Amino acid sequence: MGQLSYIAVLVGCLLGSGWLELVLRTRVYRRWLRLVLSVLPVVGVFAVWDAYAIASKHWTFDPLQTSGIFVGFGIPLDEILFFIVVPICSILTIEAVRSARPDWKLPHE
């Protein structure tokens, strides 16, 4: 699998939670602006953090385990996709629980 390993994990995450949109009608994708406004800060903060860590030589990415496509500052495309996919999957999961259990509240609500 090699270079597709990281992408395969992200596809698995999407398959694991993506069906919730259809089956439980979470309406996450219909509220796309809300989703974008939730995910963009995550991408921004973690991309800066990654760029700093790479520049400081705190960590690297194995080119044999990533796509080999870099978006800048040594950050692989796979990593940026991770910052997008994981929050979306998390939001889908939370909204699915709320859909199935309308009485359930987040701790701060």
Side-chain angles (χ1 to χ4, degrees):
M1 193 165 220
Q3 287 190 309
L4 295 178
S5 296
Y6 207 148
I7 300 292
V9 169
L10 297 178
V11 169
C13 289
L14 284 172
L15 290 174
S17 62
W19 64 273
L20 297 168
E21 176 78 5
L22 301 171
V23 175
L24 296 177
R25 297 173 227 218
T26 58
R27 297 185 328 259
V28 170
Y29 295 132
R30 278 193 199 146
R31 296 177 288 184
W32 63 270
L33 182 58
R34 185 182 214 184
L35 182 62
V36 168
L37 292 174
S38 298
V39 173
L40 273 181
V42 174
V43 174
V45 167
F46 284 102
V48 169
W49 182 4
D50 258 8
Y52 173 76
I54 292 166
S56 300
K57 303 207 185 313
H58 290 167
W59 67 63
T60 60
F61 292 93
D62 184 354
L64 299 175
Q65 300 297 315
T66 61
S67 65
I69 301 168
F70 293 87
V71 296
F73 302 101
I75 303 172
L77 174 63
D78 316 49
E79 182 78 347
I80 297 299
L81 292 175
F82 176 85
F83 298 147
I84 296 168
V85 168
V86 171
I88 289 173
C89 293
S90 300
I91 292 167
L92 280 166
T93 303
I94 288 171
E95 291 301 323
V97 170
R98 293 175 108 170
S99 175
R101 296 274 320 266
D103 58 321
W104 183 79
K105 302 272 189 229
L106 288 170
H108 67 279
E109 292 181 310

